[in-house]
Amino acid sequence: MRAVIESGALDGKVSRLYLGARTTAALAYEDRFDAWRKRGVEVVPVLSRAGDGWAGRGGYVQDALREDEERGEGFVLAAKHGALLCGQKEMVQGVREVYAGLGVPEERTLLNF
């Protein structure tokens, strides 16, 4: 994901990165979030084992995506939307299920495996 963002491939596109980790110590690329936001990528860190001091999102990436879409805070437009997915099999499957419910064809998701 870092390579895609920093290559400029997403410049000018509406982009959101849901980045999952167990804890803040395991959260990758946190030092790059501000630079990525300046490139137009909204970064949404999601921790599955967030500690007491964590004020951000908790749970799993697929659940955060689903919640955002259900609240109307998402941005998935089935006719134009695509996704790059990198991570655990369960997350990929869960995100694809959310997309399917929103009308995004499975072939519009690219995988790292």
Side-chain angles (χ1 to χ4, degrees):
M1 296 309 212
R2 174 183 155 192
V4 171
I5 294 168
E6 293 179 0
S7 74
L10 301 176
D11 290 357
K13 297 179 180 359
V14 176
S15 302
R16 181 179 292 163
L17 171 64
Y18 289 89
L19 185 61
R22 286 187 178 163
T23 64
T24 54
L27 190 58
Y29 308 120
E30 192 171 10
D31 61 325
R32 297 177 180 271
F33 290 178
D34 287 336
W36 292 353
R37 287 181 182 110
K38 289 176 183 169
R39 293 191 86 122
V41 177
E42 179 185 352
V43 181
V44 181
V46 183
L47 301 183
S48 61
R49 295 185 185 161
D52 292 335
W54 178 249
R57 305 288 292 273
Y60 297 100
V61 164
Q62 61 271 30
D63 298 328
L65 171 66
R66 181 180 293 111
E67 290 166 5
D68 288 350
E69 291 299 325
E70 288 173 353
R71 282 196 309 258
E73 296 174 8
F75 67 99
V76 174
L77 301 171
K80 296 183 177 186
H81 191 79
L84 306 172
L85 302 175
C86 175
Q88 298 291 327
K89 185 177 178 180
E90 295 81 5
M91 182 276 298
V92 169
Q93 182 178 355
V95 168
R96 281 188 155 174
E97 288 172 8
V98 172
Y99 285 164
L102 296 168
V104 178
E106 188 172 302
E107 61 270 11
R108 299 288 304 270
T109 57
L110 302 177
L111 306 176
N112 70 323
F113 52 88

